[in-house]
């Protein structure tokens, strides 16, 4: 039987993970399990397995002193995600933050605190904001997107291919979504670098308050730029949408789009590459010339989803759920990773089965899953095609995962390969200026059904006009090197 979020099919009878009875007999209500620090990052599956003994939900600590209920059971996760009348997304309901038990500078607040965007809103407010996002993303032409990704991939591969070794995370998976985001959102490269640095710090919970301020300032600059000079890009389409978003709403839609469009995207690419390069099932196919990239993506989305635990909801009233009393305003977090690996599902055939929760489900399901999957597939295919004899430079079990309760993210993905000469002389490549609005990138802007047509090319922003290609490249290189 297939477990489909669409049909809500039920698990097999007798599954101990679906008793709905709360802690198993003889087990006391557990102490909250920490989900921060290197131990959780090193082996989250072991933690989920322990937590399952307590039933569909278990108490956890997202960072020191921040308590939540984690849903580890697939069916229970779907129930939360599809019951907005019982479980709200509006983080202003988070009691511990409102009454000061959680400090505003706690590292998880930038990921959980309220922002007036689609992720944290409910009902009519959510419909309005989400419509603006889905309509604007809907104007992206998949063929143009594929082109963006291919060109970005080529550009990055040219930089490291002649050297025979590279960190595929730092030099590729991390930078590629930035380049694609810059193009889709009409963002000049220097601004894009600042933005991704800030968003990455927010995900890591490192100096989060400063990172938050830096991201906000950068978005203000981008919105100002696009109000003055609209282009064929998602930022301009959001501004032109009939929802008539104000500046503050724009900033917060961009925060969620940027956060989702870069960090989980890089992790999907890196986690798929790790699997493809470390698992013999895929190696056999690779040497045979057939690259099972789609299968690898499905497997990562099931086993190691980039957003491992998120979908933070707040019970609207106190309620009994799976034998546990949930209090209004106390965070309930969906473990997409644990739910996907619910023992009730393990016998399922996963290849081609897309019933996983990696994109969430219900009214807040990821509105960009098709684009995100396309970006990851093209990025991985392009790399394997251009650098065919890639191998990991360290054993897969020595790769280190970044701490943090929400993401499943490697710190690095070192690889080696026979050096591949650049396909054209470096000076020619160096002239490839990636200024947003370049007509080579905005090849075929799609027309929205619900928004008026926008200009099809963006005049070059003043800042980038004064930056020669070499300036752009040197700043990108600095980004690659972590400076
Ligand atoms: C591999 C990449 C991606 C993954 C794994 C992913 C996953 C998710 C998940 C799990 C959610 C639900 C959030 C929650 O748990 O509360 C979500 C929501 C969202 N995602 Fe994605 N996403 C990805 C890429 C993208 C991209 C590329 C964009 C846009 C450029 C995007 C835009 C959004 C937005 C706007 C929401 C909020 C929707 C709402 O609340 O109505 N995502 N995504």
């Amino acid at each position: 039987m297939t477990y489909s979020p669409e049909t809500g099919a039920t698990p097999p009878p007798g599954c101990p993970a679906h008793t709905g009875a709360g802690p198993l007999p003889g087990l006391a209500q557990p102490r909250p399990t920490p989900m921060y620090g290197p131990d959780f990052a090193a082996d989250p599956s072991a933690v989920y397995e322990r937590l399952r003994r307590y039933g569909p939900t278990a108490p956890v600590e997202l960072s020191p002193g921040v308590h939540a209920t984690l849903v580890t059971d697939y069916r229970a996760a779907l129930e939360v995600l599809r019951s907005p009348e019982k479980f709200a997304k509006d983080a202003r309901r988070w009691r511990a933050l409102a009454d000061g038990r959680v400090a505003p500078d706690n590292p998880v607040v930038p990921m959980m605190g309220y922002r007036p965007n689609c992720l944290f809103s409910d009902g009519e407010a959510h419909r309005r904001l989400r419509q603006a996002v889905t309509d604007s993303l809907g104007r992206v032409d998949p063929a143009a997107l594929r082109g963006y990704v291919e060109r970005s991939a080529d550009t990055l591969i040219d930089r490291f291919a002649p050297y025979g070794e590279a960190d595929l995370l730092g030099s590729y998976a991390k930078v590629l979504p930035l380049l694609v985001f810059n193009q889709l959102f009409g963002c000049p490269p220097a601004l894009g670098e600042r933005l991704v640095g800030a968003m990455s710090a927010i995900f890591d919970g490192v100096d989060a308050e400063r990172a938050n301020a830096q991201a906000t300032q950068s978005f203000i600059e981008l919105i100002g730029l696009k109000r003055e000079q609209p282009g064929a890009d998602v930022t301009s389409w959001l501004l032109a949408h009939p929802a008539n978003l104000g500046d503050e709403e724009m900033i917060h839609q961009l925060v969620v789009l940027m956060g989702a469009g870069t960090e989980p995207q890089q992790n999907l690419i890196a986690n798929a590459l790790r699997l493809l390069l470390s698992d013999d099932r895929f190696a056999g196919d690779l040497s045979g010339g057939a690259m099972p990239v789609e299968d690898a993506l499905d497997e990562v989305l099931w086993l190691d989803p980039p957003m491992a635990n998120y979908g933070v909801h707040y019970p609207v009233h106190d309620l009994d759920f799976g034998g546990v009393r949930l209090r209004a305003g106390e965070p309930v977090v969906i473990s997409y990773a644990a739910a996907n690996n619910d023992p009730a599902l393990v016998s399922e055939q996963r290849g081609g089965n897309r019933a996983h929760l990696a994109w969430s489900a219900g009214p807040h399901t990821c509105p960009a899953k098709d684009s995100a999957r396309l970006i990851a597939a093209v990025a991985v295919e392009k790399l394997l095609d251009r650098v065919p004899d890639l191998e990991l430079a360290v054993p897969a079990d020595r790769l280190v995962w970044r701490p943090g309760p929400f993401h499943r993210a490697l710190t690095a993905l070192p690889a080696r390969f026979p050096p591949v000469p650049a396909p054209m002389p470096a000076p020619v490549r160096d002239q490839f200026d990636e200024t947003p609005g370049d007509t080579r990138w905005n090849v075929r802007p799609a027309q929205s059904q619900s928004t008026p047509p926008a200009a099809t090319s963006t005049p070059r922003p003043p800042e980038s006009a004064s930056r020669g290609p070499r300036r752009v490249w040197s700043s990108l290189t600095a980004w690659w090197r972590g400076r």
Side-chain angles (χ1 to χ4, degrees), residues 204-227:
D204 284 343
V206 178
D207 204 356
E209 222 172 353
R210 196 167 144 260
N212 216 4
Q214 192 184 22
T216 304
Q217 182 51 39
S218 308
F219 284 125
I220 290 171
E221 284 174 41
L222 178 61
I223 293 162
L225 190 70
K226 294 296 152 185
R227 281 210 193 279

Side-chain angles (χ1 to χ4, degrees), residues 89 118-119 126 130 133 137 185 256-257 260-261 264-265 268 301 306-307 310-312 336 357-360 363-368 372 375:
K89 290 283 291 174
C118 52
L119 189 57
H126 175 244
R130 186 171 167 103
V133 166
L137 288 176
F185 287 76
V256 73
L257 286 162
Q265 188 74 61
L268 180 56
L301 290 166
M307 289 305 307
Y310 203 40
V312 186
Y336 300 120
L357 298 181
W359 312 111
S360 193
H364 290 267
T365 193
C366 179
I375 294 168

Side-chain angles (χ1 to χ4, degrees), residues 5 7 15 50 57 70 84-85 170 215 277 279 289 334 421 432 447 456 474:
T7 63
C15 169
R50 281 202 301 279
T57 69
L70 190 74
E85 69 293 349
L277 299 179
D279 192 311
I334 306 297
F432 182 61
Q447 294 299 311
T456 50
S474 65

Side-chain angles (χ1 to χ4, degrees), residues 122-129:
D122 298 299
E124 191 41 47
H126 175 244
R127 270 187 290 281
R128 171 176 166 265
L129 295 172

